[in-house]
Amino acid sequence: MQMTKIFLKKNEDRRIRQGHLWIFSNEINEIDGEVQSGDLVELNDNQKNYLGQGFYNKNSLIALRLLSRNKESDLRKIFLQKILQANELRKQFYLNRNSYRMVFGESDFLPGLIIDKFNETFVLQVHSVGMEKNIELIIQILKEELKAKNIFTKNEEYFRKLEGLPEDDQIYFGNKSIEIVDDGLIKYKIDFEKSQKTGFYFDQSDNRFFIQRLCNGKKILDAFCNSGGFGLHAANAGASEITFVDSSSTEIESAKTNFELNNFTAQSEFIVSDVFDYLQKCIAANKQFDVAIIDPPAFAKNKKSLPTARKGYEKLNRLAIQSVNNNGFLVSSSCSYHLTKDEFLQIINTAAVKAGRTIQLVYFNNASLDHPQNPAMEETVYLKFAVFRVLE
C-alpha cells in the first residue's frame, strides 16, 4: 500500500535535519493522499527530498512525530529494535537493578511512548495517537521479548487531551499488583492503585544517591517527600534525624512503609502538611536542618503559568534557605520544563538574597541516566537538581 506523503514548507526541514522529531501543523505545505490520525506517513522537504516517516495526527498541534529516518514499513521491526536497544542501555548503566525507566519517549526515538519497568510489571504512558493505534504490537513485544507479567497504563490526562485521546487507563495484561522494587540500594513498596504518575519517580534516582554524601550524622528535611526516596537514602547514609513532609497522607504512609521495609532506625518524623506552611512554622519556631531537600511538583505546566510559578519557586526556596543551619545544604529541584536552568538558578539566588544568606552552588544535575536526552530536542530536558551550601 502506498504511504501518504507529507511535504513541508520551504526551510521548515532545518530543525528536522538537526535531529528534532516533531512537525507542527503550520509547517506542513501539502499532504499527498488520504490520511487518518495514527497513520504512518512519509515526510519530505519542500523539494520532495525524503526525510523520514512518522505518525500523523490531524487533531494535534504536533501534526507528525518522526519514528524513523529509514524507509521501513514493518512497525513491529521498528518497535522491537528501539525497545530492546533502550532496555540494553539501562541494563548497562544499572547492573544491579530490575526497575527503571526503560523507554523515555523522544529521547529513545519512540515519540509519545514512556515505559517504566518494575521487575516484570510494565507501566506505560501513551501520549501519541500513533502509539495508541499500534499498542498491541508494543504489548506483544513486552510479553514475548521481556517476559512481562503485568502491563497497564497510568497516563497523564494533560498530554492525552492534547492528542485528542481518551483519558481512561487500560490494563492490557495481568493486573495492577503491588511490587517491591529497589533502586540498587533502597527497597520501595509500589501500590499502583494509590501511587502518583507511573508509580515511582525514577528521574531522581541518581540524585538520591548523590545526597548521601551530605547526610551522615545530620538533621534532614525531605519535603514533598512522595514515597520517601531522598529521606530513605539519607537514613542509609547515617542521618541522625529525618523529617518527611508531604501534603498527601497517602504518600506519607508510603514513606513510612518504605522506612520500615528497609529496617531503618534513625529518629524519624512523618508529617502531613502543606510544605510552605510547614517551613513557615519551622522559621517561627527557629527549627533548622543541616540539609533541606525540596522536590516539588511542576509549578509551571505551560508558558502561561510561568510568572506564577517563578514566584512560587522563589518563596519556597527562600523559606527552605531560612530553615538551613549555617554551613548546611539546600537541595532544590524543579521538574517544570518551561523553567530554564538559568532561570531556576537565578530564582534561588534571589531567594537567598531575600533570606539574607550567601549560597554556593556545589552540584548540578538533570534527570537520572535512564532519562537520556535528545540533544536536538530541549523538550527532553526538564528536571533541574541543584545542591547549594548555605552560609551566613
Side-chain angles (χ1 to χ4, degrees):
M1 183 178 171
Q2 185 75 19
M3 197 178 294
T4 298
K5 294 184 179 182
I6 287 182
F7 299 93
L8 296 177
K9 293 177 181 176
K10 189 176 181 180
N11 297 328
E12 297 292 3
D13 58 305
R14 291 174 179 172
R15 192 168 39 84
I16 302 306
R17 292 186 187 280
Q18 291 296 314
H20 208 287
L21 303 180
W22 293 350
I23 302 296
F24 296 98
S25 55
N26 62 356
E27 296 172 331
I28 294 174
N29 183 53
E30 180 188 352
I31 299 176
D32 181 15
E34 293 293 319
V35 62
Q36 299 297 320
S37 291
D39 285 355
L40 188 69
V41 298
E42 183 181 300
L43 180 67
N44 299 268
D45 67 13
N46 190 251
Q47 300 300 311
K48 297 183 169 41
N49 296 307
Y50 177 81
L51 294 172
Q53 56 191 34
F55 292 126
Y56 177 75
N57 187 353
K58 63 182 179 182
N59 301 313
S60 174
L61 179 63
I62 304 173
L64 193 151
R65 296 174 189 257
L66 209 62
L67 181 66
S68 174
R69 294 181 187 271
N70 301 320
K71 290 192 175 184
E72 174 59 72
S73 59
D74 185 343
L75 282 173
R76 189 184 191 283
K77 185 177 178 181
I78 295 172
F79 285 142
L80 178 63
Q81 180 187 8
K82 290 177 184 283
I83 288 172
L84 294 184
Q85 200 171 49
N87 190 44
E88 285 303 314
L89 180 67
R90 277 65 175 183
K91 286 164 65 177
Q92 188 172 344
F93 288 146
Y94 300 123
L95 298 176
N96 301 315
R97 278 174 56 180
N98 200 26
S99 303
Y100 37 74
R101 173 147 293 182
M102 190 181 82
V103 170
F104 184 40
E106 281 71 0
S107 291
D108 286 302
F109 314 103
L110 285 163
L113 178 67
I114 288 171
I115 304 177
D116 280 356
K117 182 179 185 294
F118 299 85
N119 301 321
E120 281 71 50
T121 291
F122 294 81
V123 183
L124 281 58
Q125 290 186 332
V126 184
H127 300 148
S128 150
V129 69
M131 292 297 176
E132 179 93 349
K133 187 175 179 179
N134 294 282
I135 195 68
E136 288 304 327
L137 277 179
I138 296 164
I139 302 306
Q140 185 184 55
I141 289 166
L142 295 178
K143 288 164 66 174
E144 293 176 0
E145 303 292 334
L146 294 164
K147 311 305 178 192
K149 293 180 180 175
N150 306 293
I151 306 170
F152 52 86
T153 61
K154 290 196 72 176
N155 291 308
E156 287 200 51
E157 290 182 9
Y158 176 79
F159 295 113
R160 298 278 290 185
K161 282 182 181 177
L162 290 179
E163 281 285 294
L165 291 168
E167 294 157 40
D168 52 323
D169 282 315
Q170 302 291 329
I171 297 176
Y172 290 107
F173 184 62
N175 56 64
K176 287 188 179 180
S177 62
I178 289 172
E179 289 282 349
I180 304 293
V181 305
D182 72 77
D183 63 7
L185 192 61
I186 306 296
K187 293 177 183 174
Y188 301 87
K189 182 180 180 181
I190 312 293
D191 185 340
F192 294 105
E193 293 289 355
K194 298 178 181 178
S195 57
Q196 297 176 7
K197 300 288 180 143
T198 61
F200 188 73
Y201 290 91
F202 287 115
D203 54 1
Q204 289 279 28
S205 293
D206 298 352
N207 297 327
R208 294 183 189 113
F209 276 81
F210 178 85
I211 64 104
Q212 293 202 171
R213 304 181 187 193
L214 315 174
C215 295
N216 184 252
K218 303 293 177 62
K219 292 182 179 179
I220 312 298
L221 170 65
D222 182 0
F224 304 97
C225 69
N226 194 250
S227 54
F230 281 110
L232 297 172
H233 275 271
N236 185 74
S240 62
E241 186 179 315
I242 306 150
T243 303
F244 297 84
V245 181
D246 202 287
S247 61
S248 165
S249 58
T250 302
E251 294 303 329
I252 286 295
E253 283 304 313
S254 175
K256 194 182 295 185
T257 296
N258 292 331
F259 191 86
E260 294 166 355
L261 182 65
N262 288 276
N263 299 313
F264 290 135
T265 56
Q267 185 178 334
S268 59
E269 197 173 4
F270 298 85
I271 298 170
V272 179
S273 172
D274 174 86
V275 171
F276 287 88
D277 293 343
Y278 178 76
L279 288 171
Q280 286 172 329
K281 287 176 183 175
C282 288
I283 293 164
N286 202 28
K287 177 181 173 69
Q288 292 195 305
F289 302 91
D290 299 310
V291 182
I293 303 164
I294 50 174
D295 184 20
F299 287 174
K301 280 284 188 184
N302 49 51
K303 283 187 178 179
K304 287 182 181 178
S305 57
L306 263 177
T308 304
R310 289 188 189 106
K311 291 178 183 177
Y313 283 120
E314 185 186 302
K315 182 179 180 181
L316 176 62
N317 281 278
R318 175 175 57 79
L319 294 173
I321 288 168
Q322 288 177 272
S323 305
V324 176
N325 286 321
N326 184 38
N327 215 30
F329 292 92
L330 167 71
V331 179
S332 184
S333 291
S334 167
C335 57
S336 296
Y337 153 69
H338 293 284
L339 187 74
T340 67
K341 173 187 175 182
D342 288 345
E343 283 182 303
F344 175 64
L345 295 178
Q346 185 57 55
I347 284 169
I348 297 173
N349 188 64
T350 301
V353 171
K354 290 186 176 180
R357 307 293 291 275
T358 300
I359 58 172
Q360 179 183 38
L361 179 65
V362 296
Y363 183 74
F364 184 87
N365 197 24
N366 297 121
S368 299
L369 291 169
D370 53 356
H371 288 65
Q373 301 170 10
N374 179 337
M377 294 187 70
E378 62 180 17
E379 295 88 351
T380 63
V381 187
Y382 69 98
L383 184 67
K384 292 154 288 285
F385 174 85
V387 180
F388 299 86
R389 187 165 64 143
V390 180
L391 306 169
E392 285 183 325

